[in-house]
Amino acid sequence: MGTSRTGNSKTSTAKTSTAKTGKKAATTAARKAHIQELRRAEQARDRRNRVIAITAGVAVLAGVAGFGSYLLLDASEKKDKEKAVAQAPVKGEKSWDAKKLGRNHVTKKVDYPMTPAAGGDHSQAWANCQGDVYDKPLGEENAVHSLEHGAVWITYNDKAANGDIKTLSQKVRTTPYTLMSPVKEQKGALTLTAWGRQLTVDKASDPRVEQFLGKYVQGEQTPEPGAACTGGVGPA
């Protein structure tokens, strides 16, 4: 009888121990499974974040590329327009063969065949033409040297309206390689002159004014493009 109770007690203890061990193992397995599930969820979240980041990056790059293409296209169109303006003839302009216009430096007065002078032999000193506006006449020999450097010379006489003189003065002051002065002897009210080219207009609002400036300021007709327009002289 005593032996039987002892055996039953050991058996019961063993069962209890086995149950505890099994429960502990099940708890450990469940914890591991939960941890693995959390890791999988974290990995999935990281993958989603990477996909979102990559997608956003691609979108930004595409936007930058698109904007860059737009700027290049816009610049190309602007360049094409400027080229078209430069090549288009200016209606009503007069021209002289540049090869027949002298370019010697002289110290005497030159008898030019046109007024204002549009090219030919000239003074060694050029008239300042970096947007300079003069209210007194310039030496033609000095102004012609400025034309050789690629400047456009705007002149006016008593026929010109004060408003037009003011408008063109403001335009010249903001346009490098231009100069302006009175020439009483010229026939038209307003005259624009480049090397070998000349245009007469009645009003500053004439669209050919902008066309002439766009075409001939440092234009293809210039014998010495980029030469200085400062460090010269003023009115005679």
Side-chain angles (χ1 to χ4, degrees):
M1 294 290 292
T3 301
S4 177
R5 283 196 299 271
T6 301
N8 290 338
S9 176
K10 289 181 178 180
T11 300
S12 176
T13 300
K15 289 181 178 180
T16 301
S17 178
T18 301
K20 289 181 178 179
T21 300
K23 185 176 180 180
K24 183 177 180 181
T27 301
T28 300
R31 186 181 297 111
K32 288 182 178 180
H34 181 63
I35 291 172
Q36 290 176 352
E37 182 63 28
L38 290 176
R39 286 176 178 174
R40 284 195 293 269
E42 184 177 1
Q43 291 171 352
R45 184 169 59 252
D46 289 342
R47 286 194 295 272
R48 285 196 301 272
N49 290 339
R50 284 198 296 272
V51 170
I52 292 172
I54 292 172
T55 302
V58 170
V60 170
L61 289 175
V64 170
F67 184 65
S69 298
Y70 167 77
L71 290 179
L72 289 174
L73 182 61
D74 186 56
S76 178
E77 289 179 349
K78 184 177 180 181
K79 187 174 182 180
D80 289 342
K81 289 180 180 178
E82 290 176 350
K83 186 176 180 180
V85 169
Q87 292 178 344
V90 180
K91 185 177 179 181
E93 75 173 9
K94 295 179 181 179
S95 63
W96 292 266
D97 187 349
K99 294 181 180 180
K100 295 182 179 180
L101 295 174
R103 291 179 56 199
N104 298 311
H105 288 174
V106 297
T107 57
K108 60 182 181 179
K109 295 288 291 183
V110 179
D111 185 17
Y112 293 105
M114 74 292 285
T115 303
D121 293 344
H122 49 270
S123 172
Q124 186 172 357
W126 57 86
N128 289 318
C129 48
Q130 199 71 355
D132 294 272
V133 176
Y134 303 97
D135 58 6
K136 295 181 180 180
L138 291 171
E140 279 194 302
E141 293 77 15
N142 304 119
V144 169
H145 196 158
S146 300
L147 302 182
E148 187 182 39
H149 290 187
V152 168
W153 182 22
I154 298 180
T155 54
Y156 59 93
N157 61 16
D158 295 338
K159 298 177 184 177
N162 290 334
D164 289 329
I165 295 173
K166 182 179 179 180
T167 296
L168 291 176
S169 296
Q170 292 172 343
K171 179 65 177 178
V172 167
R173 288 190 177 98
T174 58
T175 307
Y177 282 93
T178 62
L179 67 165
M180 184 173 177
S181 69
V183 174
K184 186 177 181 180
E185 299 80 15
Q186 70 182 33
K187 292 182 179 181
L190 303 166
T191 302
L192 291 83
T193 305
W195 185 269
R197 302 288 188 273
Q198 194 168 83
L199 174 70
T200 297
V201 297
D202 296 325
K203 298 289 184 180
S205 58
D206 191 312
R208 292 175 298 169
V209 171
E210 290 291 341
Q211 186 184 6
F212 193 94
L213 290 170
K215 185 171 184 177
Y216 294 124
V217 170
Q218 287 289 287
E220 294 181 359
Q221 86 292 340
T222 304
E224 296 180 6
C229 244
T230 58
V233 299

